[in-house]
Amino acid sequence: MTSTDRQTRIAKAKFRAWHRGTREADYTFGCFFDTFHEGWSEEELAWFEKLLTYEDPDVLAWTMGTQEPPEEMQGDQMTALRKMDYVRI
């Protein structure tokens, strides 16, 4: 993947993270993106892109621990998402 391709994917992910439709989701996805994206590997970026395909209520439930995420979404990034220490209002 070229750096231009990665930059395009990052830009799309940022837009999608900050334009979810509710303030709660915007802060959850957007602040997570802003805090962590610079250090993401290809696999971590792909995970976040996959996360963006899920419905906001599902992801927010996973984040708050009221539902378990599907196995494909579990791991270190989900653990970081659940901490919610990245949200700055």
Side-chain angles (χ1 to χ4, degrees):
M1 170 186 345
T2 68
S3 72
T4 302
D5 291 339
R6 183 173 172 84
Q7 290 171 347
T8 299
R9 288 175 63 200
I10 290 288
K12 285 180 181 180
K14 180 177 184 171
F15 182 86
R16 291 181 63 206
W18 278 107
H19 295 88
R20 301 301 298 178
T22 65
R23 190 172 292 178
E24 295 85 357
D26 288 349
Y27 281 120
T28 301
F29 287 86
C31 290
F32 185 82
F33 173 87
D34 286 351
T35 300
F36 296 108
H37 80 277
E38 288 184 13
W40 284 343
S41 67
E42 170 61 30
E43 293 79 23
E44 290 167 325
L45 176 57
W47 179 91
F48 188 74
E49 290 170 325
K50 178 72 173 174
L51 182 75
L52 294 170
T53 68
Y54 285 94
E55 296 293 324
D56 293 350
D58 294 331
V59 176
L60 293 174
W62 305 339
T63 303
M64 293 178 206
T66 58
Q67 278 184 321
E68 282 299 311
E71 192 170 324
E72 68 182 5
M73 299 309 296
Q74 294 180 16
D76 292 341
Q77 282 181 281
M78 182 56 66
T79 300
L81 185 71
R82 284 183 159 177
K83 287 183 182 176
M84 298 208 53
D85 60 350
Y86 52 85
V87 177
R88 293 172 196 88
I89 299 176

